[in-house]
Amino acid sequence: MRQGGVRGVVADRGEGTGQDRSGARTGLAQQLRTREGVVLGALWLLAGALAARQAAAVLRIPSHERFVDLFAWIGENGVLRVRGSLYDGSAPFTGTPFAGLVLKPLTRAAEQGLGVAWTVGTMLLVAAVGVVAARALPGPVSRRTSLFAVPVALSLLALSIPVRNTFHLGQTSILPVLLVLVGWLLRGEDKTGQGRQAGGVLIGVAGALQPATLLFVPLLWLTGRRQAAFAGAGTFAACSVAAWAAMPADSWTYWVRHVVGAGLGDPADATANQSLHGALLRLGLRGPLEVTLLLVLVAGITWLAMRRAVRYARDGQLLLAAAVVGCAAVAVSPTAWQHQLLWVLLAVVGRVGRRKADRLVWPVFVTLVLTLDGDALVPKVAAFGFLGENAVLLAALLAACAVPFVSRGSPLWDSPASSGPLSRPNLMLELLLIRVGYWAYSYVRGHAPDSRTLAEGHGDQILGVEKFLHIDIEHTVNKLAVDTSWLRHLCDSYYTTFHFLVPIALLAWLYMRRTAHYRSARTALSFATLLGLVGFWLYPLAPPRLMPGLGYVDTAHGPQDPSKPDFGALTELSNQYAAMPSLHVGWSLWCAVVVFQMTKKHWARALGALYPLMTTFVVLATANHYLLDAAGGVLVVATGFAAQRWVARIRDRRETPGEQEPGSDAGSQVGPEPHAPAVSRAASGPSPRGPRSSGDRKEPAPQE
């Protein structure tokens, strides 16, 4: 009886424990689903806000400045309205003759009505590209990915330079991309073969509008879609012949005289032309040498890109295959203007890297290249100038020819190697983020409010508070530096050198020797700098050297005359009213804290403690900051470390063993639905796990 009773009690306790665990898992799952709903709603709000902002920015522009390219073609004196050649005059048409034939009916539309209609139509085309791309992700797709894919795709498209230029200029480059995507992903199965040919017809029409997309016709052929390839070539020929019959002189000018439009519009060596032809011209190559080298490179890139695209198509990554060929089309086209570069952004779907941390490098790189100018990606140094000018072209070449995208059959597809907090972060990703972070810092600092009246008023407030607290020592310290020659030169050199040199050197040492601490220190510094930028924006402050009539001397540039617009040499470089908080003091304090965390050596800690004290003295001596600015720097660094610890605690809770998020297991993955549209069925591709038979190799999945 006693043993039975004990067993009963144990069983009851076990059952209760199991119920408690089940209830805890259910509660956790509900919390995570709620969190997913909040994130999904935020993503859709972001996508909608970006689209609305883009449309509003275009419609706010005066009608005569809106859609510069479009109204140069269809306006009152546009080349599509007046009689004569499309390709003569001060603003020649840059599209194909067939594109001119299609656009001619729009010349009868009212200008205001066309502005709204064109903006809305372009927005719908962009949305369609985003939806098609999101639906074409290779399966199986996790529940979370399927929920977030569309709003993320729409947000990236809205931020990208090609879409922004398309909205502003009134270009038609989105339509060919959409036609090619739908044509490539569409797979008809009817007995008549009309469904098989429909995709080729769409690609043929896209080729008639943008000839570089004809590279998709041989891709259709090489993946076994012979009927679609014939339909694409035939449609392109029919459209071109129709345009030739309607406009023979213009067709001769475009296809023969200008060799597929080369030389139309802006000069081919302009930075906006992100093709190989444009890059070679910018390098100074001309004549037969440039043409020969271009033909060799075009042949090699096309061959290599086709091989890679066929391999990815047979692997079920149809969207990646399309992006690879599209990137090759960008590179080999005689002219690839910025509004035609959307293919490079689609290459973000490729998975790269063996570790989880490495997976972020490629999408971050592509996103930055397609949303920022080249100057934001590389330092303003002559040696890096070519990289910045041709950043989009380099990304297209990497996607088409070099980046080793992971195949779906690889174990790394779903299970990359873990990169925990003790592993070293990806160096390329760190350098990218540091560079872009510094560019953002310079941009915000330079564009923060710089009203002289407001900044000087804030300066009077700071001086008033310091006088009340009896800490207004700036004038005394500044006069000491001005009267002592060696101290003046020492402070000027210290101010311009140590601010960047010491933090960068310390970050590099942490990365090489203290990887785990590098992550936390880098995050704290990022938060502190971000808070500093907020301070620059919300509280523009004139430093002591720019306060008129108070006797402060700029030790580096001498007395200033604020009555002149460009007083002082530094006013040409950045906003001089970004003084609160002092990031010179803040960054030096960050260095001191890191040194105290890393070592117990007394001499090292003494130097670390001395560094922010010396920096505070220097910023006061050079009349660049008030003492309260230094206190602001201390505050943002303290807040930065607190924010870093808060983020670390959240990450630790998420990584607690035994708490697996719903949607992360195989059971939560969603594949193609039984009656999904043709585009979705194409995107799902073959199973990456099961072995392929000889028939599979002979008749790969992307084939019809």
Side-chain angles (χ1 to χ4, degrees), residues 3 5 74 91 142 240 317 340 386 430 470:
Q3 291 179 352
I74 67 175
S142 69
S240 300
Q317 301 188 64
Q340 299 171 337
F386 182 80
E430 294 296 306
H470 301 287

Side-chain angles (χ1 to χ4, degrees), residues 98 101 204 208 231-245:
F98 178 74
L101 193 64
T235 302
F236 167 76
C239 293
S240 300
V241 168
W244 201 293

Side-chain angles (χ1 to χ4, degrees), residues 308-527:
R308 286 162 56 85
V310 170
R311 183 168 72 249
Y312 297 132
R314 290 175 176 172
D315 189 50
Q317 301 188 64
L318 298 184
L319 182 58
L320 178 59
V324 168
V325 175
C327 289
V330 168
V332 305
S333 177
T335 53
W337 305 115
Q338 288 183 345
H339 55 270
Q340 299 171 337
L341 306 178
L342 201 56
W343 292 110
V344 183
L345 183 61
L346 296 179
V348 76
V349 300
R351 299 189 184 185
V352 185
R354 302 182 59 86
R355 302 185 308 158
K356 290 182 180 180
D358 299 336
R359 287 287 170 88
L360 295 175
V361 179
W362 176 247
V364 168
F365 172 71
V366 173
T367 302
L368 294 178
V369 165
L370 267 294
T371 55
L372 300 177
D373 294 332
D375 293 341
L377 301 174
V378 296
K380 292 184 178 181
V381 180
F384 297 107
F386 182 80
L387 298 178
E389 291 178 353
N390 302 280
V392 180
L393 172 61
L394 293 175
L397 291 175
L398 288 173
C401 304
V403 176
F405 297 110
V406 178
S407 67
R408 295 172 68 217
S410 170
L412 297 175
W413 175 265
D414 290 322
S415 302
S418 177
S419 53
L422 298 180
S423 63
R424 181 172 287 118
N426 186 283
L427 180 59
M428 182 60 67
L429 180 61
E430 294 296 306
L431 293 177
L432 271 176
L433 295 179
I434 289 173
R435 169 57 199 169
V436 173
Y438 178 71
W439 173 83
Y441 164 79
S442 302
Y443 181 87
V444 173
R445 179 187 173 100
H447 290 79
D450 57 355
S451 168
R452 175 187 169 188
T453 303
L454 180 63
E456 290 179 357
H458 288 162
D460 291 332
Q461 291 177 2
I462 294 294
L463 288 173
V465 172
E466 290 190 348
K467 288 180 180 178
F468 176 78
L469 298 175
H470 301 287
I471 57 173
D472 51 331
I473 61 174
E474 293 87 359
H475 196 278
T476 301
V477 178
N478 178 237
K479 188 175 184 301
L480 175 64
V482 171
D483 294 340
T484 310
S485 178
W486 66 268
L487 182 60
R488 175 176 180 169
H489 292 300
L490 177 63
C491 289
D492 289 342
S493 300
Y494 185 105
Y495 184 83
T496 58
T497 304
F498 282 75
H499 180 49
F500 296 105
L501 181 61
V502 176
I504 290 176
L506 190 54
L507 279 173
W509 182 83
L510 288 174
Y511 182 86
M512 298 301 298
R513 303 294 299 273
R514 297 288 191 274
T515 304
H517 289 93
Y518 168 81
R519 293 176 181 271
S520 59
R522 172 253 284 151
T523 304
L525 182 62
S526 301
F527 277 122

Side-chain angles (χ1 to χ4, degrees), residues 27-43 143-144 147-148 649-651 653-655 659-662:
L28 177 62
Q30 292 177 349
Q31 291 178 4
L32 292 175
R33 289 194 182 95
T34 301
R35 189 181 302 166
E36 284 182 354
V38 173
V39 174
L40 180 62
L43 288 175
R143 175 178 173 273
R144 180 177 298 175
L147 288 174
F148 296 165
R649 285 196 298 269
I650 293 178
R651 184 180 63 245
R653 284 200 298 265
R654 287 181 177 178
E655 295 177 354
E659 294 184 357
Q660 185 178 8
E661 296 184 6

Side-chain angles (χ1 to χ4, degrees), residues 267-331:
D269 60 352
T271 306
N273 179 17
Q274 290 292 301
S275 68
L276 270 175
H277 178 53
L280 293 177
L281 292 177
R282 287 190 289 274
L283 284 174
L285 298 178
R286 294 290 189 278
L289 176 61
E290 191 267 336
V291 173
T292 303
L293 182 58
L294 177 63
L295 292 177
V296 172
L297 292 175
V298 165
I301 291 170
T302 303
W303 175 79
L304 186 56
M306 283 296 172
R307 287 194 59 184
R308 286 162 56 85
V310 170
R311 183 168 72 249
Y312 297 132
R314 290 175 176 172
D315 189 50
Q317 301 188 64
L318 298 184
L319 182 58
L320 178 59
V324 168
V325 175
C327 289
V330 168

Side-chain angles (χ1 to χ4, degrees), residues 150-221:
V150 174
V152 169
L154 296 180
S155 299
L156 288 178
L157 287 170
L159 288 171
S160 66
I161 293 175
V163 170
R164 299 204 309 262
N165 282 358
T166 297
F167 271 102
H168 175 67
L169 299 176
Q171 288 284 353
T172 60
S173 57
I174 300 295
L175 182 59
V177 174
L178 180 60
L179 292 174
V180 169
L181 276 181
V182 176
W184 167 243
L185 298 173
L186 187 64
R187 318 184 71 76
E189 301 295 343
D190 60 333
K191 296 180 180 179
T192 63
Q194 294 179 358
R196 294 190 178 102
Q197 297 174 5
V201 171
L202 294 176
I203 291 176
V205 174
L209 295 172
Q210 201 174 96
T213 57
L214 285 176
L215 282 180
F216 283 88
V217 172
L219 179 63
L220 292 172
W221 181 276

Side-chain angles (χ1 to χ4, degrees), residues 126-142:
V126 172
V129 171
V131 172
V132 170
R135 291 292 301 274
L137 293 176
V141 179
S142 69

